[in-house]
Every structure is written in structure tokens, then in C-alpha cells.
Amino acid sequence: MTVTGSRGSLPEPATYSGRFRVPQSVLGYALILLPLMVMGTLILYPAFLSIADTVTEPSSGGSLQVSLADYVEFFNTPLAVRNLAFSLRITAVTVAVLFLAGFPISLYLRFTHGRLGNLIQMLALFPLFVPGIIAAYALIRFIGDNGWLERFLHLLFGYEGFTSPYLRPAGIVVGLAWEGISITVLILTAGLSQIPDSLLETATDVGANRWQAFWRITMPLMKRSVLIVMTLNFLTVFGSFTIPYLLGPASPEMMGPYMRRTFYDANLPSRAQVQAVITFLISAVISLLYVRSVVSQKVEEES
Amino acid sequence: MAGSATTVMRSMVGRSLRLVAGRPWFGICLLLLLALVVLGPMLNVFLWAFTRNWAYPSLLPTVWSIEFWDDTFARADILEGFIASVWISLIVTGLSAVICLPAAYAFARMQFPGRTFLLLSFLATNAFPRFGLYITIAVIFFRLRLIGTVPGVVLIQLVNTLLFMIWIPTAAFQGVDRALEEAALDVGASPLRVFLQVTLPLVAPALAAALLLTFIGTFYETQGALLVGVPEVRTLPVVMIRLINNQVIVQYGAILSVALWVPSLLLLIFAQRVLRGNTIASGFGV
């Protein structure tokens, strides 16, 4: 097909062959330059600057030399180590809670159809429609002292031993799990929907029961989605600020609130940089584990 | 084959799983539990917005009232926060659109080396632990004296918008049937006219959804605004944090939550309708 009209300034799709060939790759690069620059200046540059800042220090001669003194100092500060360990523990618990809550819901949604399933799906996706700050406020009222949860337990079961998780470590887990359940269910359901019914039917045809079909077919095929959801939840929870800041205890605190306090209240930006880079490194290790397992799975499949 | 003990255990678990999953009461329990956990907090806040007194252990407010609504919107900090949030969100959304939409068109329609890699590289915004990244940005803003300024808040909130503003429109441009455009070109329409009258109307709903999601996401963005804006620039979520921390009157925060959440819910439902459910999941690499 030939285009007879004159070329406007508008970018032309690849399949059209115009009279004059504007090198499309040049135009393409020109159009994507701006967001790449934003990403470079607002994400990559700050991250690498902080890494560079924290592994160097000025020597007596005025030039910079490599030094890990900042990190030695971090790991020699009991409060810092305590907060880091606390963050990792809360993150692990939240990731586990999200998986244990999200997986049964997703399985249910994958294998049931009808009104009840639709309602459950709507409820599971509901937190996606609540902005974080409003969710935090609502949860404080709900789980706080004399909140609705305590009143429910009191009136329905006569339960009196309620201790509010608000301003306690459990409060952070509750808040982050509430916010994270939608994405968890969404990703796991998407993964489950990629497993064709025919495959499971074939398995039952050759005599496998539902449990065997689940264990031998569904689970291995879900490995990738489960890994994605775990990694993503780890990164989100570990890098969170608002929920731990509003629902968590003042001490120990997660890295998010701790970094802000170091930066803003204690006015020590360079120390906050060290803390930030440490969160980068830990997240990078998690991401790497994820990428490696995906790659090794691919290799396994091909051999 | 695993050991027989494992087999027995598996078949036992399997039997109970079958039993549970086969009955509707499992679904009903799940529904009730989710309703309590998910809807409970929001319903609770709704009730608080219409409460004067709420004595323990009553499940409903003991004295109902709407008297706090006027007080809430008469507060100077809430009014100023609202105005700041609207302006900043509009600026961020507009800026993000100008930066990202042409790029989305290029990603969808043009061939150039490294296209897929560069498109995927925007996932890097998700790969960093969010608040750690904000701290490293804030350190630079600190040196540039951007802390406590509107440009500082706009720039840090822009970080959040890149991924959706590129991925959703890219998918939309890719989804347009090229045969329609070619047909229009064949009958002599100029490329600009084809773009304006064929392509644009087809992608408009998805673009509107991307703009809406960006606006709402920015309006409620809390941590970046708090870290970079305070003390001079206070958006509405930052005002809310102060209301929570100071514990002044429960109703102020409750009324603010209700008043702000309902419009955002309607807009989000609209956006969700436009985008197919899987768009969001695919943004995370599923």
C-alpha cells in the first residue's frame, strides 16, 4: 500500500511507506526522550548519587576516597539495627499474611462462577478504590481502642480481652495487609486464569483427583505468579511509610518512618542516605532472587 | 512418588479441601469475613461523620448530628490544603501527560532498537523501595532548596505517575485497529486528520482513564508531599496526617474522609470500567 498524501508532522506507523523516509528510530527516540530524562534525573540519579555519597568520604588532601565508614557506623548503632530487623520481620509477616489470605480467595474466584464469586471479587478489590490516607484513618477508628471491632467482639461474643493493635507492630501488619490484598488477589487470579480448564479436566480424566490436579498442575504453573506477588509485596511493604508512620509504634519503627525522622527531625540527610541505600540493597537482593528463579524455571522448562 | 505418609496426609488435606470448596457456605463465610474486614472500617468512618456522641459499647452513634460538617469546611487548614491539592494534582497530571503521551504513541507505533527494553525500564519505578527512593530525592532537593516548595512537591509526585501514564496509553494505542486508519488514508484523509478523527476517539476513553487515575493518585499521594512539602506546602493528605496525630476531634477526619472518598470512588469506578481488569495486573508483569 502506498500513501499518496503529503506527509504531515505526525509520526507515521512503521508499515506505511511514504515518499520520504523519516528515520523512524530517530523520531521514536525523540518522543521517548522526555520520560527517560525524568526517570534519569528523578530516580536513577538520586539513587546513584546516594550510593556514591555513602561509599566515599573526603580524605585529608581534599579528594574523595572509598570508605565504608558510614555503613560500619549504621551497623554499630543499636537503634538502627533494631529498626532494620523490625522492618524485615514486619515485612516477612505481612508478605506471609497476604499470601495466606489472598491465595484461598483467588482459588475460590478461579474455580467458582456466579453471583457469590462476583461479590467476593468486588470486596477483595475494594481496597484498591480507597486512597491510602483515608484507609489509614478508617482503620485507626476500626481497630483502635473502643473502636468498632472491639464493640463487635464485646456485643457478639462477650469478649473482653481485646488489645488494640493500633500503635503496636500488629497495627502495621493489619494496615499493610488491608491495602495489599487487592493487588495480591488480582495477580494471583490473573495467574490462575492462565491455567486452562482443559488441562485440569485432562488430569481428572486420567484419574487424578482434584487435590492431585491442584498439587501437580495448578501449583507448578502458579510458581511464577506466586513469586511475582511475594516480591512485589516485599518491595511495597518494605518501602512503605504512611501506614507504619500512622498505625505503628514509635519504637521500634520501620525504616520508612525512621528515615524520615533521621532526615527531617534529626536533620541528618547524609545518615538518612545510608539508611535508604541499605533498603535499596536489601530490595535488590530480593528482586535478584526473583529474577534468578524465573530464569532457572525457564531453563528447566526448555530442557 | 513421595513417601506414603505424605500421600496419606495429602489425600486427607485434599478430602477436606474438596469438602470445604464444594459447599456454598465456604463462600458465604468468606463473603461475610471480607465484608466485615473490608467494608467495616469505611462504614465506621461514615457513621462517625454523622455523630455527636458515641458511647462505648454501642454499635451505633448514641447522638446523631451533622453539626461538624460546617466546622470542618470552615477550618482554614482544610480549605488551604484542598486548594493546594487540586492545583498541584492538576499541574502534575498535565505535566505527566505532556511528558508521557507522545512517548506512549512512540512505544505503541514505532520501531526502534531497544523499544521493549526501554518500555520495561519504566518498571524500575516499582523496583526501588518507594520511601528509600524519596529520601534520596529529598537529599538532592535539600541541596537545591526545593524542600517546602510547590515545584519540589510536583517533581516528587511526578515520579509516581510515569508508569501508568506510559503503560495504559501505550496499550490503548496498540489496541487501535490499523485497518480503520489505513482505510481513512486510502480515501485521501491526511495523517493528521486520521489521527484526530479516527485514532484519538478510539483511545480517548483509555487516555481519560489514565489522566483520572493520575489525578486521583496524585491528589491522595501522602509520603512524597509530607517529606518534601512540609512545612510551607501542605496538601490535604498532609493536613489529614496532622488531624490524626493531634487527635483533635474524630469527626473532622471522618467528614473529610467521606467528602473526599465518595467522588474519588465514582471516578475510579469509571476508570475501572474503561480499562479491562487485566490492564492493572499486566502492569506488574503477570
Side-chain angles (χ1 to χ4, degrees), chain A residues 104-125 185, chain B residues 20-35:
Chain A
I105 297 175
S106 309
L107 273 178
Y108 186 84
L109 292 176
R110 168 67 179 82
F111 293 109
T112 48
H113 308 279
R115 260 228 184 104
L116 195 60
N118 287 344
L119 274 174
I120 289 174
Q121 185 176 27
M122 268 173 61
L123 282 179
L125 296 187
V185 168
Chain B
V20 167
R23 301 284 184 281
W25 60 255
F26 176 77
I28 290 168
C29 286
L30 196 61
L31 184 77
L32 289 178
L33 192 70
L34 266 176

Side-chain angles (χ1 to χ4, degrees), chain A residues 30-36 38, chain B residues 88-107 122 154 157-170 173 195 200 204 206-215 218:
Chain A
L31 289 176
I32 66 166
L33 189 65
L34 221 47
L36 284 177
V38 172
Chain B
I88 289 174
S89 307
L90 282 175
I91 295 170
V92 170
T93 309
L95 204 59
S96 182
V98 169
I99 291 170
C100 297
L101 292 185
Y105 187 85
F107 277 125
F122 286 94
V154 166
Q157 293 193 324
L158 194 62
V159 173
N160 259 337
T161 66
L162 290 181
L163 185 63
F164 269 11
M165 204 56 130
I166 286 180
W167 278 53
I168 295 175
T170 299
F173 280 122
F195 180 77
L200 207 55
L207 293 193
L211 289 169
L212 261 179
L213 286 175
T214 303
F215 181 84
T218 309

